[in-house]
Every structure is written in structure tokens, then in C-alpha cells.
Amino acid sequence: TPPELIRNFCIIAHIDHGKSTLADRMLQLTGVVDARAMRAQYLDRMDIERERGITIKSQAVRMPWEVDGTTYALNMIDTPGHVDFTYEVSRSLAACEGAVLLVDAAQGIEAQTLANLYLAMENDLTIIPVLNKIDLPAAQPEKYAEELAKLIGVEPEDCLRVSGKTGAGVEPLLDTIVAKLPAPVGNPDAPARAMIFDSVYDTYRGVVTYVRVVDGNLNPRERIVMMSTKATHELLEIGVISPEPVPSKGLGVGEVGYLITGVKDVRQSRVGDTVTNASKPATKDLGGYRDPKPMVFSGLYPIDGSDYPDLREALDKLKLNDAALVYEPETSAALGFGFRCGFLGLLHLEIVRERLEREFGLDLISTQPNVVYDVTMDDGKQVHVTNPSEYPDGKIREVSEPVVRATILAPTEFVGAIMELCQQKRGNLRGMDYLSEDRVEMRYTLPLAEIVFDFFDQLKSRTRGYASLDYEPDGEQVADLVKVEILLQGETVDAFSAIVHKDKAYAYGVMMASKLKDLIPRQQFEVPIQAAIGSRIIARENIRAIRKDVLAKCYGGDISRKRKLLEKQKEGKKRMKMVGRVEVPQEAFIAALSSD
Ligand code: GTP
């Protein structure tokens, strides 16, 4: 297809504003998927995505659309819908010339609407503002058209109105995409340069890589080079998705499609990388490539220790499909053998954990997630800490922690409550704008550790669910941090160590000590539970001793009852972990680690 007849676009929206429903309707109207074959939310392939209603993996579909007798090729590129995947979103946007900015006409602009809009603007995309769900009785298209128009600097009449549900307004939207979005431009005679915006592992075909060609041509059976690694591969197949893969004779300037090289690991075909021809390679890549960087770490342990090999195998498999997942074996005195895993963020962690449990049938326990710290010792030595138990002893000069740039959107009545919360969470206000009389956008710098802890829940409860939050990594800051350790009878319980701000160390210590006091059964001897910073004890609880002579009850009783009791005790012992001399039921660890 000549570039003049191509339009590449994506739909950006806040979660639940109806992106998938609108995409489905477009597939149907352009005849790519017929109504009978239409499965709700065609683009969300993974079960977890469907159940949670979120989109993790982006995909691209080509749709024909006729305007005034000319048939155009519309490539719709699906973007992932959550903060953890900002980088993937930015690469998907970079593959487009324009974006449909979709806003629920009953909700108005939300934090993710803005965050995505900013990303789209950074990529110089042409924005088509659209109000969705106009069929809803609660829709207020007039009001929100004004908000939206003001935000992007157009007239309220320029905002289209559609219903992904009924299909109203969707045909005019497709016409507008053709009319308003620029056609792709590139040099057809230059060496090929194509950007990878997604890479998905398929059990049967190996890695399927989604690309947008900027210059030149990619042809089947030729050799290609991945510019970040210089690795070369044979192009076994290349084509477009419409809505199933259709092999083609190659992809040229402006085209969007997939390629298959037979590699088995998404790390060999990385999002953001540039693909070129091996025979006449481009000299300069397209830029913007970044290694995925894990931001949040957590220990994952099988509840049943004998599942450890299965957990390893499951992680090895998941990794093929997830370039951002990292892990290495670790042992914990409390939890046994497991893995220290790194994730892009909390949602990524949850998704991986859920897939391990659901697809691989594992029962897991995970430690309190933590961020990554850079510690500088007094002698200048640097330590990169991904696990609180690795936090160095000795004289520390400085500790830095990752921070995020957060966008919070809420009704104006909650400004005070939000400021108070952000203050508590060590936030710095960077700016504030009124989108309309009753809605405000607040921009904060916040430590990622606070977000990982319970920021979102707190925000929701203080604003009765009306606030929305989006954030992206924004470097590091030096902070006054300490490691709090929890000791049982003088022995550190590694799984409960945490790095916290100095002002919060006491609260953390008291909370953990009293939690454990309730969870650990009394023993034959007194057990002190202590929270400590280095050698300084900051909180203490005691579990009083008991003399537990179970057999005493059975004096004179029959022998079989006695045996049963002994057996039951043995059963129980198996699920006990020893911390020094203290027997701790595994449930106590699980309960203490689960957030409530
Ligand atoms: P994420 O993938 O989670 O970002 O959600 P999404 O933006 O793709 O939203 P989705 O299409 O899943 O729609 C969210 C909810 O809104 C669903 O319950 C849809 O049925 C409903 N919905 C979507 N479009 C419309 C519409 O035009 N009218 C009405 N009444 N409901 C809609």
C-alpha cells in the first residue's frame, strides 16, 4: 500500500472509558471481523486481561476503509492501559501519526487521559478528541466537550461524539481518521528502519514481533539485524494482522505488521529496538530504545517447599513472554527456597503472580514489595539494594530512592484531603491546574516506595473513589532511610526486614511486632519480639511462655486417643518453620506478610 493511503492510529483513554468496545466496533464496521465471529473484546487475548478488563499486550490490526471511492488502510495499534507499561505505551504511540483521545461522556477527563495525552503530544501525534458512551443517560457531552476542548486547544464542536456500544458516530470517526491524520512519510529507497512496538511469545510460532516500517522495505526470507544487539535473524515470515496474521510479500514505508524469525525469547526482539536489512544496514537507529528496568522487587516462595523446581520452570516459561521480568534464586530462613523477582510495578507483580498461580497451579507467598535503593558508604563504595536484607551494615553516607511524577485528578472538594495525604507520603507539589470549576489536576513528586505501599488505596478512600492517579518514573532522590529488622528471640526474621523513612520506622516496628505477637503461638519459653534499627531496639512485645503438656489431659484415658494426639502434633510440626528455637507456623508468616 502506498503511504498516502495509510493511516496509523491508536486509541488512548482512561481505564474503562471504552477503548476495547470502540475497537471492536471498528473491526466490525470495517468488515474485518463479522458480527457472528465477534467475540467481545477481540483484541484482549489473554484470559486474565479479559477478566480484569485491562489490556497488557498491544497489537495492531489493519482495517480497510473507503472514503469517496478510495480504499485506505487503517492500522489500529492497541496500547496497554496501565502505568506500569508506560514505556510500551510510548513505543506504541511512536508507531502512529495520530491518536483518538477517548473520554467517557459520563465521567470526563481522568488522570490516565492526561498522562496518555502528554505522551501522545511528546510524540507529536495529531489528536482526535472523542466523547464516548453518549448513549448513557448520565452522559454530559456538552460539559465534557468543553473540558476536553480547553485541554487540547480546540473548539467544543470539534469533539466527536460516539457510542462504542451502539455504534453511533463510529463511521464518521473512521472518516475523520482518514481526513485529519497525516499519511506516514519515509524514504522508500533508504535501508530499512522499522521500530518494534511489541513482541509476543507464541507457543507454536516462537516470538511474533510487531513493527512499524519508517524507511525502506522488509522482505520475506531476507536477513535482518536488531540494531541494539547487532544480532541477525532470517525473516521467516512477514505480514499484516487483519484480524488473523496474513503473510505478505513484505512491508514498506508507513506499514504496520508482524514478523517472525524463529527466536524463542522476547528478549531477542525487544520493544523499542530498530530492525534493519542485513544486506544494506541503516547506519542510525530510530532512537528511543530503552532496556526494561525493574522498579519493584519481591520474594516469591512456594507455600509447599517441594514446588520449588516447578516455580523455577514456570518463571523460565513466563520470561519468554515478558522482557521485563527478572529473577534470581534466594533463600530465606523464614520462607525457605524461592526467587527474588523484579517487576515494572505493582500491577506487573500481580499479573505475574496470578499467572504463576493460575496457569502453573502454584501456591505462592510473596514478601512485601520494595523498591531499589542506591546506598553510598562513607568510604565511597556503592551498593545497589534490591532486597532489604542486603542493606549494608557500617557507616552510610547517603541513600537514594526512586521517585515518580504523579498526576492526580479529582473534584475540587478533595484538594485538602489529597494535599494532606501527599504530605504524609513525603510528596512535593509541582503544580496544580483547574480543568473546570469543579475539577483539578495536581502534579506531585512522590517516592515510589510510598506508592508501592498503600498510596492508591488511601487516595481512593479519602476521595470516596473520585480521584484518579497516574505516574511515571522520574529519577531518584536522597532520603533519610533506615532498615528496620524484626527479631524473634534475638534472631532476625529476614522476610520482615524493611527499608523505611526514619520518621516511619517506629510505626512500622510497632505494627509488625504486635501483628506477630497475635500470630505466633505461645512456646515453652518466653519469646521476645523486637524491632530494631541496627543495634537500637525501637519496639518490643513478648509472647509469654506456657507449659504445654498435651498428654497430661489424657491421664487414664485410652491409648488410641493419646496416639491420635501425638500424630496430630506431628502433622502440625511439618508446617512449622524454626527461627532459632522458636517454632512459627507457616500461616503466621503468610498472615503477617499479607497486607490488610
Ligand atoms: P480497559 O481495557 O480496562 O482500559 O477498558 P476499556 O477502556 O477498553 O473499556 P471497555 O471497552 O472494556 O469498556 C468498559 C466498560 O464500559 C464496559 O463495561 C463496556 O461495556 C462499557 N462501555 C464501553 N463503551 C460503551 C458505550 O459506548 N456505552 C455504554 N453504555 N457503555 C460502554
Side-chain angles (χ1 to χ4, degrees), residues 199-240:
S199 178
V200 184
Y201 176 76
D202 178 285
T203 325
Y204 301 103
R205 319 205 64 189
V207 173
V208 179
T209 301
Y210 293 87
V211 293
R212 148 73 196 261
V213 179
V214 174
D215 294 322
N217 278 284
L218 289 173
N219 304 299
R221 318 283 348 157
E222 75 170 325
R223 289 196 77 79
I224 55 164
V225 183
M226 302 292 176
M227 293 187 77
S228 76
T229 56
K230 306 276 182 285
T232 70
H233 302 285
E234 188 185 348
L235 212 46
L236 301 179
E237 184 179 317
I238 185 164
V240 297

Side-chain angles (χ1 to χ4, degrees), residues 99-332:
V100 170
L101 180 64
L102 194 68
V103 172
D104 186 325
Q107 304 284 332
I109 295 162
E110 296 287 358
Q112 241 187 318
T113 318
L114 287 181
N116 283 325
L117 173 65
Y118 298 151
L119 282 177
M121 295 193 317
E122 275 168 33
N123 282 292
D124 291 326
L125 301 196
T126 302
I127 309 288
I128 300 177
V130 178
L131 291 164
N132 189 28
K133 308 197 188 181
I134 51 164
D135 61 290
L136 283 178
Q140 295 177 277
E142 309 303 325
K143 177 178 172 189
Y144 293 124
E146 215 149 290
E147 249 185 43
L148 193 52
K150 188 174 143 205
L151 179 70
I152 54 180
V154 297
E155 296 304 317
E157 306 79 77
D158 295 334
C159 299
L160 301 188
R161 287 151 197 223
V162 308
S163 165
K165 189 170 173 185
T166 66
V170 180
E171 292 188 21
L173 171 57
L174 290 165
D175 291 340
T176 306
I177 289 170
V178 169
K180 270 206 175 169
L181 299 193
V185 278
N187 181 352
D189 304 318
R193 291 199 298 172
M195 189 198 56
I196 300 179
F197 61 88
D198 200 6
S199 178
V200 184
Y201 176 76
D202 178 285
T203 325
Y204 301 103
R205 319 205 64 189
V207 173
V208 179
T209 301
Y210 293 87
V211 293
R212 148 73 196 261
V213 179
V214 174
D215 294 322
N217 278 284
L218 289 173
N219 304 299
R221 318 283 348 157
E222 75 170 325
R223 289 196 77 79
I224 55 164
V225 183
M226 302 292 176
M227 293 187 77
S228 76
T229 56
K230 306 276 182 285
T232 70
H233 302 285
E234 188 185 348
L235 212 46
L236 301 179
E237 184 179 317
I238 185 164
V240 297
I241 311 276
S242 193
E244 300 299 332
V246 185
S248 76
K249 294 209 180 67
L251 295 176
V253 168
E255 288 193 290
V256 170
Y258 71 96
L259 51 89
I260 290 171
T261 61
V263 300
K264 292 275 182 261
D265 180 343
V266 290
R267 281 166 178 73
Q268 290 172 279
S269 203
R270 296 169 174 243
V271 170
D273 204 353
T274 303
V275 179
T276 188
N277 318 103
S279 55
K280 56 166 190 180
T283 48
K284 203 168 167 298
D285 62 41
L286 292 165
Y289 174 71
R290 224 168 64 192
D291 274 332
K293 186 174 162 202
M295 301 291 288
V296 171
F297 284 77
S298 167
L300 289 184
Y301 292 84
I303 286 186
D304 180 347
S306 65
D307 283 344
Y308 177 76
D310 296 342
L311 175 57
R312 172 190 295 275
E313 204 183 306
L315 284 167
D316 288 346
K317 280 203 183 124
L318 277 191
K319 184 178 151 184
L320 297 175
N321 200 11
D322 187 340
L325 174 66
V326 296
Y327 52 91
E328 55 183 49
E330 92 174 342
T331 4
S332 151

Side-chain angles (χ1 to χ4, degrees), residues 15-21 41 53 55 133 135-136 163-165:
I15 227 152
D16 263 5
H17 281 201
K19 189 175 76 177
S20 308
T21 308
Q41 307 205 342
T55 313
K133 308 197 188 181
D135 61 290
L136 283 178
S163 165
K165 189 170 173 185

